[in-house]
Amino acid sequence: MPTPSSLIIDTDPGVDDAFAILLALSSKECDVRAVTASYGNVALDKTFVNARRIVALAGRTDIPVAAGAARPLVHVQAEVAPEWHGADGLGMQSSGFPEPGPADPRPALDLMVSVLRESSVPVTIVCLGPMTNTALLLAAHPELTPRIGRIVAMGGALGMGNTRGAGEFNVYADPEAAHRVLTQPEVPVTLVPLDLTMNCTADDQWLETLSQAGPRCATLVRTAALYREATRERYNLDAIALHDMLAMLEAIRPGTLRTTPHRVNVACTLGPGRGMTVPDRRPDASGPLVDIALDTEGEVVLADALRYLSTLG
C-alpha cells in the first residue's frame, strides 16, 4: 500500500474532526492538498466555516477548502449531533478560533477532481464524516479512480452502533453513499469502526498535556469539554474517543492500525437496522474486500497523536 504523500480530507467538523485535521496539518509525512466539507455533525453552513477556522488555526489558509454535499444522496438526514459537538460544531468554542480562511469557490467535487488530475502521486481520500462527497466522486468520475491510492474512512460498527438505530453515525447519515464506497472494487478502502475507536480513548491527562503544549493546542482542547461531558453521561467513561484522529493516523502512516479484510454491505433499509455495516464472512462470498481496522497499540497511537499535535504549539 503506497505511503500517502498527498491527502484530500473530506470532513464534517465536528470536535474529533478538528483533532484529526490539525493532526494532519502538523505532520510532515503528508501533503494536505484540499479539505472538503459536508453536512454531518451539524449543517453544511457550519461545517464549511469550521473547516476554514481549523486550517486558519494551523496557519494553513493556503490549503483550499470547498463546500460539498448539503444532504445525503437519497433520504433526508435523520440525526445530527449538537449534544456532542455543540450547535456550532466546535463544542461552542468557535469564537476562540481565528476568522475563517478563504472559501474556495468551486464545489467540493470540482476541487477533488482538480487535485486528482494535477497530482503526480496517488492521493489518499480521508473520509471523516458521511461519505456523500466521495461517493459522488466515484460515481461521476470513474476515470480518476486510478489516481486514488486508497480511501480511509472513519465509520461503521461491527457491534453496537451509536445512533437511534444500530448504525454508526457517519454511515447512518448516508447509508447509500457508504454502500457505494464500501462495495466498489476500484479503490482500496480501510474502514476504522467504533469497535476500535471506542477502545482507544484519550483521558484527561492526555488532554491536559496537549493543552499545555501551546495556545493553539489549548484552543483545540477547549472544544472537547462538551464532548467529554456527553461521553460521561452516555457511557460513564472518563475519557473520550477521538474517532477521526485514529483514521487520520492510519492515513498518514499506513499500518498504524491492524486490519482484517472483510466483504461489507451496508443496510439501506428504512427500519431499525438502517446504517448497519454487515460483514459477509461466508467463505464463498464474492465482492471487494474492505480492510477493517480492529486492533492497534492504543498507548503508542495516542502518544504518536500527542507528539504530532503538540508541534502546533
Side-chain angles (χ1 to χ4, degrees), residues 19-294:
F19 278 80
I21 295 166
L22 288 168
L23 190 153
L25 296 180
S26 68
S27 170
K28 296 180 180 179
E29 298 171 44
C30 66
D31 175 19
V32 179
R33 299 292 309 281
V35 176
T36 54
S38 75
Y39 70 94
N41 289 312
V42 289
L44 177 64
D45 61 338
K46 293 183 174 68
T47 63
F48 186 34
V49 172
N50 289 348
R52 288 152 48 210
R53 287 189 186 278
I54 292 164
V55 299
L57 181 66
R60 292 299 310 276
T61 55
D62 57 302
I63 296 172
V65 183
R71 54 153 293 158
L73 293 178
V74 181
H75 298 286
V76 174
Q77 185 181 9
E79 184 170 320
V80 291
E83 70 275 20
W84 292 87
H85 301 274
D88 67 349
L90 290 174
M92 303 306 294
Q93 299 294 321
S94 58
S95 62
F97 280 69
E99 286 300 304
D104 193 290
R106 292 169 288 184
L109 181 59
D110 290 355
L111 176 57
M112 296 169 94
V113 168
S114 177
V115 169
L116 291 172
R117 285 179 174 163
E118 294 173 6
S119 180
S120 60
V121 296
V123 177
T124 295
I125 299 176
V126 191
C127 296
L128 304 179
M131 300 185 205
T132 315
N133 288 337
T134 300
L136 289 169
L137 172 69
L138 294 172
H141 293 279
E143 78 282 0
L144 294 178
T145 55
R147 295 178 174 270
I148 304 172
R150 68 169 174 159
I151 296 166
V152 179
M154 189 280 130
L158 304 190
M160 183 177 69
N162 62 351
T163 64
R164 67 182 68 179
E168 175 276 332
F169 181 87
N170 286 343
V171 172
Y172 181 75
D174 193 346
E176 287 79 13
H179 188 75
R180 176 68 177 81
V181 172
L182 297 176
T183 60
Q184 52 78 33
E186 293 87 5
V187 181
V189 178
T190 298
L191 187 68
V192 183
L194 292 180
D195 310 74
L196 177 62
T197 63
M198 288 301 298
N199 288 300
C200 188
T201 55
D203 61 17
D204 286 351
Q205 181 59 56
W206 189 93
L207 291 165
E208 181 60 27
T209 301
L210 178 59
S211 182
Q212 293 176 2
R216 290 175 177 175
C217 293
T219 296
L220 175 62
V221 170
R222 281 193 291 272
T223 69
L226 179 64
Y227 198 86
R228 291 161 79 180
E229 288 303 317
T231 300
R232 290 189 185 105
E233 181 176 336
R234 181 164 181 176
Y235 296 109
N236 194 29
L237 180 66
D238 201 24
I240 57 174
L242 294 169
H243 311 281
D244 294 338
M245 192 175 71
L246 266 68
M248 187 61 73
L249 279 166
E250 173 61 26
I252 293 171
R253 293 170 50 186
T256 295
L257 310 179
R258 292 192 283 272
T259 62
T260 302
H262 286 295
R263 292 170 178 85
V264 176
N265 289 289
V266 178
C268 296
T269 66
L270 297 180
R274 182 167 174 79
M276 286 183 65
T277 42
V278 184
D280 189 343
R281 297 185 173 94
R282 296 174 300 167
D284 59 344
S286 60
L289 292 166
V290 172
D291 289 321
I292 303 180
L294 295 174

